[in-house]
Amino acid sequence: ASMPRPATAADLPELAGVLAAAFDGYAWTKWTVPARQHRERIRILQQAYLGHLALPHGMVWTVPDLSAAAAFVPSPPPALAPPALELIAAAHADRFDTLVGAEELLAGRRPPHDWTLATVGVLPRVRGRGLGLAVVRAGLEAIDRRQGTCLVETSDPGNLPFYRRLGFRARETVMTAGPPVYILTRPASGAQP
């Protein structure tokens, strides 16, 4: 597999496109992002979160050809500046209230944690080559060096074996008005689950 490396600001436009391709058709995205210009809206959202949250405050990992990305954000995340929030609200359009309501529901169900694996995606044409595993593992190794815990959420039950391989354990399933959300956590390195 390609050796993961930290992403740079110059990588973000391409990585946002990779994540948009990866999340096109995903249950949560279909619920919270309008169908009109769907993939472009996801790209705008991913670029906003990468550029305003993950890169400046957390970690973004990629591979040399930029075909995979994983973003980790500290918990609690720093507040986004108004321009970034406006961009995000505009991309969600009439689904923004849906997102905010779901986020409030989920916030009350998350156990305390140090980091969140905010997003991971691989270009569809290169899936199955271990690239997603490589970029997530790179971030988790950095978190382990800091003795941190990590949380991830997914709306696709098919993703659960992937996260279990990385040491995450399912905590609970939250039923939203849209898709279910599986909350998984990973203990600090060396800690007992």
Side-chain angles (χ1 to χ4, degrees):
S2 299
M3 283 300 294
R5 65 163 175 83
T8 65
D11 299 330
L12 297 190
E14 187 154 348
L15 295 180
V18 167
L19 292 165
F23 280 90
D24 197 348
Y26 179 63
W28 179 266
T29 318
K30 281 172 34 179
W31 185 50
T32 59
V33 178
R36 191 175 58 80
Q37 296 175 308
H38 186 71
R39 191 179 286 199
E40 175 59 13
R41 288 175 186 274
I42 300 170
R43 190 196 63 72
I44 290 166
L45 290 165
Q46 293 287 356
Q47 186 150 354
Y49 285 118
L50 291 173
H52 294 279
L53 205 54
L55 195 69
H57 303 289
M59 300 180 272
V60 181
W61 290 89
T62 189
V63 289
D65 70 358
L66 305 180
S67 61
F72 295 82
V73 175
S75 179
L80 286 165
L85 281 174
E86 287 163 20
L87 192 69
I88 289 164
H92 283 288
D94 62 345
R95 309 281 178 91
F96 189 65
D97 290 344
T98 299
L99 176 75
V100 170
E103 186 54 41
E104 286 171 359
L105 172 70
L106 289 166
R109 306 296 281 274
R110 293 178 183 128
H113 58 286
D114 302 310
W115 290 88
T116 301
L117 170 50
T119 190
V120 55
V122 177
L123 267 186
R125 64 178 167 74
V126 293
R127 279 197 188 132
R129 296 186 192 170
L131 297 171
L133 209 58
V135 290
V136 174
R137 200 170 263 147
L140 292 175
E141 287 168 0
I143 291 169
D144 285 348
R145 287 193 291 275
R146 301 171 192 185
Q147 293 286 306
T149 57
C150 191
L151 176 142
V152 67
E153 293 168 348
T154 183
S155 291
D156 181 353
N159 289 340
L160 298 176
F162 172 84
Y163 291 121
R164 286 192 188 107
R165 275 180 69 187
L166 290 159
F168 286 91
R169 297 290 167 258
R171 286 290 295 242
E172 70 171 309
T173 305
V174 178
M175 300 312 291
T176 67
V181 176
Y182 304 90
I183 298 175
L184 298 96
T185 55
R186 185 176 182 272
S189 169
Q192 294 307 304

